[in-house]
Amino acid sequence: QVQLVESGGGSVQAGGSLRLSCAASGSTISNYYMGWFRQAPGKEREGVATISSVLSRTYADSVKGRFTISKDNGKNTLYLQMNSLKPEDTAMYYCAARFLLGSWDSGYWGQGTQVTVSS
């Protein structure tokens, strides 16, 4: 059992940057495959980025070259560095954890943090 709490969201202008944090408690994030997801009003949930226990990373095509996922096992925290933000990045962003052989839906999720990018 792991609890996840996101922070760092806010309102920025296009071209700006934000760093999202996901603080974990109850269990070490080294036990999990971690990811960031987002959902905008009227749209389906979208996977943004993932990172494995061996630091293999994946990114949605829409954020490649702009976003970077990372983690600090010592701080038990997951991060998403978001640069060159675009209005289409506006969404609620969620941190999630799952076991290697599990599914995201059966994993653990934070409450979300809102990111709003104005043009």
Side-chain angles (χ1 to χ4, degrees):
Q1 173 72 36
V2 63
Q3 296 80 47
L4 305 171
V5 179
E6 301 95 333
S7 62
S11 182
V12 298
Q13 300 227 333
S17 298
L18 284 173
R19 189 183 74 161
L20 306 184
S21 297
C22 173
S25 61
S27 185
T28 174
I29 60 173
S30 66
N31 292 333
Y32 300 94
Y33 187 56
M34 305 293 296
W36 287 98
F37 296 78
R38 66 187 182 186
Q39 188 167 25
K43 295 185 178 180
E44 295 186 347
R45 187 185 70 190
E46 175 188 19
V48 176
T50 67
I51 184 167
S52 76
S53 61
V54 294
L55 302 183
S56 294
R57 295 167 168 86
T58 72
Y59 296 96
D61 287 342
S62 59
V63 307
K64 285 180 181 177
R66 300 189 298 119
F67 291 11
T68 303
I69 187 171
S70 63
K71 63 178 180 177
D72 186 330
N73 287 335
K75 295 182 178 179
N76 215 26
T77 301
L78 178 75
Y79 302 98
L80 184 68
Q81 179 66 47
M82 305 186 295
N83 298 325
S84 302
L85 283 162
K86 304 174 180 179
E88 48 263 50
D89 295 319
T90 295
M92 184 73 74
Y93 283 71
Y94 298 91
C95 169
R98 66 164 174 85
F99 293 110
L100 179 62
L101 300 179
S103 67
W104 292 114
D105 288 341
S106 63
Y108 302 95
W109 293 78
Q111 84 289 350
T113 186
Q114 178 68 39
V115 171
T116 302
V117 184
S118 60
S119 61

